[in-house]
């Protein structure tokens, strides 16, 4: 699955610019609210990076494809008991950071000369880069730290799924959007927990 998504991204980068009516690049920044599936609590984070957009030829006017390369955080927290006799509680908290690569196809509808509405959807790939995890035992006050959740195999390095975006483009440069990413791969090896991330972003395309 991951290899197919990577091949799709490469195909878009190599082939589509030659077909495109317009190619633009810019910067994007936003807020992530991660709410993983299962019994894990999500945490707020951020996304920031580069965005590229390809306007397709005149025959398909209004349709576009966009790509991103973002640093994205997907924090989480979990609490459980491991000793019922003493009621000692373990609290896990982690903030993993990914290189996120979304690949979307979408359509723009012009409201007037300055405002366009758009919707887009497509797959994404997350590649784990770094991130710290702390484990606290409340009774003993013991704290264990993993300095890199991916290198220490506390969390799976690769994540993928599908994403959706709705937004508005202002004056042909500014884009404001709301999105949701639905993870399709467990972020842990022994427990089926998947990322579910709501995002609010602002981009500027040159």
């Amino acid at each position: 699955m991951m290899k197919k998504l990577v091949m799709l991204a490469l195909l878009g980068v190599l082939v589509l610019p030659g077909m495109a009516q317009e190619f633009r690049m810019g910067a994007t920044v936003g807020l992530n609210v991660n709410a993983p599936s299962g019994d894990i609590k999500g945490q707020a984070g951020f996304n920031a990076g580069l965005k590229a957009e390809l306007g397709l030829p005149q025959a398909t006017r209004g349709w576009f494809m966009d790509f991103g390369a973002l640093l994205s955080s997907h924090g989480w927290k979990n609490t459980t008991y491991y000793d019922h006799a003493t009621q000692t509680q373990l609290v896990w908290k982690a903030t993993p950071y990914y290189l996120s690569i979304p690949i979307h196809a979408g359509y723009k509808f012009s409201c007037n000369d300055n405002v366009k509405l758009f919707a887009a959807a497509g797959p994404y790939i997350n590649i784990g880069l770094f991130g710290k995890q702390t484990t606290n035992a409340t009774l003993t006050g013991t704290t264990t730290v993993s300095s890199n959740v991916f290198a220490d195999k506390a969390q799976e390095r690769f994540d993928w799924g599908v994403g959706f975006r709705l937004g508005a483009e202002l004056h042909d440069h500014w884009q404001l959007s709301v999105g949701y990413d639905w993870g399709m791969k467990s972020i842990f090896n022994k427990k089926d927990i998947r990322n579910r991330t709501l995002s609010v972003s602002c981009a500027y395309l040159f």
Side-chain angles (χ1 to χ4, degrees), residues 7-181:
M7 291 299 295
L8 179 61
L10 291 175
L11 180 64
V13 170
L14 295 176
V15 175
L16 288 176
M19 301 170 53
Q21 183 182 20
E22 182 181 5
F23 176 76
R24 302 188 297 166
M25 290 190 67
T28 181
V29 64
L31 171 71
N32 289 339
V33 180
N34 195 34
S37 63
D39 57 356
I40 289 183
K41 297 179 180 179
Q43 303 287 315
F46 72 92
N47 62 80
L50 300 176
K51 179 178 180 179
E53 181 179 290
L54 298 169
L56 298 183
Q58 186 70 28
T60 55
R61 187 171 182 82
W63 290 94
F64 67 91
M65 294 195 70
D66 66 27
F67 307 85
L70 313 174
L71 177 64
S72 187
S73 64
H74 297 262
W76 57 265
K77 183 179 181 180
N78 189 34
T79 302
T80 188
Y81 290 93
Y82 77 97
D83 188 338
H84 294 285
T86 62
Q87 294 292 289
T88 299
Q89 191 176 54
L90 285 180
V91 179
W92 288 277
K93 186 176 181 180
T95 306
Y97 294 85
Y98 295 90
L99 170 63
S100 182
I101 306 173
I103 309 165
H104 295 149
Y107 184 81
K108 291 181 184 177
F109 173 79
S110 295
C111 298
N112 54 49
D113 290 341
N114 296 320
V115 179
K116 297 176 183 177
L117 302 180
F118 65 85
Y124 74 82
I125 308 166
N126 283 339
I127 304 172
L129 300 176
F130 56 89
K132 185 172 73 172
Q133 175 180 305
T134 59
T135 306
N136 295 311
T138 57
L139 184 64
T140 62
T142 304
T143 300
T144 304
V145 177
S146 169
S147 59
N148 190 322
V149 294
F150 303 111
D152 295 342
K153 300 189 183 301
Q155 194 165 324
E156 293 289 289
R157 186 175 294 276
F158 295 100
D159 169 41
W160 58 76
V162 293
F164 309 88
R165 299 289 184 273
L166 294 173
E169 182 174 290
L170 309 177
H171 302 285
D172 292 323
H173 291 290
W174 291 98
Q175 291 185 350
L176 305 175
S177 65
V178 176
Y180 189 78
D181 287 336

